[in-house]
Amino acid sequence: MIERLETGARMSRIVKHNGTIYLCGQVCKDATQGIKEQTETMLEKVEALLEQAGSDKEHMLSATLYIKDMKDFAEMNAVWDNWVPEGHAPARACVEASMARDVLLVEISVIAVEK
């Protein structure tokens, strides 16, 4: 069975199937901020969605990060490294990408399992 949460015309924010949770791409709360703040608030949104779906950041399987400019890679990673629980790092990819809105500096897509 597939369960879709917060579904709109274009996408669902959460999709659950056989104990696996897929989050749509998440961006920051305030795009006027720098990479540090954008990364922090983006990860806060991920944490809230994982909780809503019955999971948490210790149960992440995979994360794909999209960063507008690799010059921000180290600063984004500093936030990421402080956020991911030790011993629970997911498989991860990070690519430089054009963003849907020019002010966005980072986006993430996450796959996790239920607790």
Side-chain angles (χ1 to χ4, degrees):
M1 182 173 112
I2 299 172
E3 180 181 1
R4 301 173 199 281
L5 305 172
E6 298 188 36
T7 300
R10 190 168 291 148
M11 67 184 167
S12 298
R13 289 189 71 189
I14 301 167
V15 175
K16 296 169 69 171
H17 180 258
N18 288 339
T20 304
I21 298 161
Y22 304 86
L23 302 184
C24 70
Q26 295 299 307
V27 296
C28 63
K29 291 179 183 174
D30 181 358
T32 66
Q33 300 295 311
I35 188 68
K36 179 181 182 291
E37 295 81 6
Q38 284 197 25
T39 304
E40 288 170 346
T41 61
M42 173 190 73
L43 294 174
E44 287 170 6
K45 289 170 71 176
V46 167
E47 201 161 351
L49 287 171
L50 287 173
E51 184 177 325
Q52 179 183 345
S55 190
D56 59 27
K57 58 188 174 179
E58 291 183 356
H59 288 80
M60 289 189 298
L61 299 174
S62 175
T64 303
L65 289 134
Y66 306 92
I67 189 166
K68 183 176 180 176
D69 191 327
M70 279 296 176
K71 73 175 176 47
D72 293 326
F73 186 71
E75 196 171 357
M76 182 271 301
N77 269 335
V79 175
W80 172 265
D81 291 344
N82 286 328
W83 182 76
V84 174
E86 186 174 334
H88 297 279
R92 190 188 106 156
C94 182
V95 296
E96 188 174 68
S98 296
M99 297 296 176
R101 291 183 286 143
D102 194 50
V103 292
L104 294 173
L105 303 177
V106 64
E107 182 173 346
I108 190 170
S109 182
V110 171
I111 300 171
V113 294
E114 292 178 314
K115 290 196 254 185

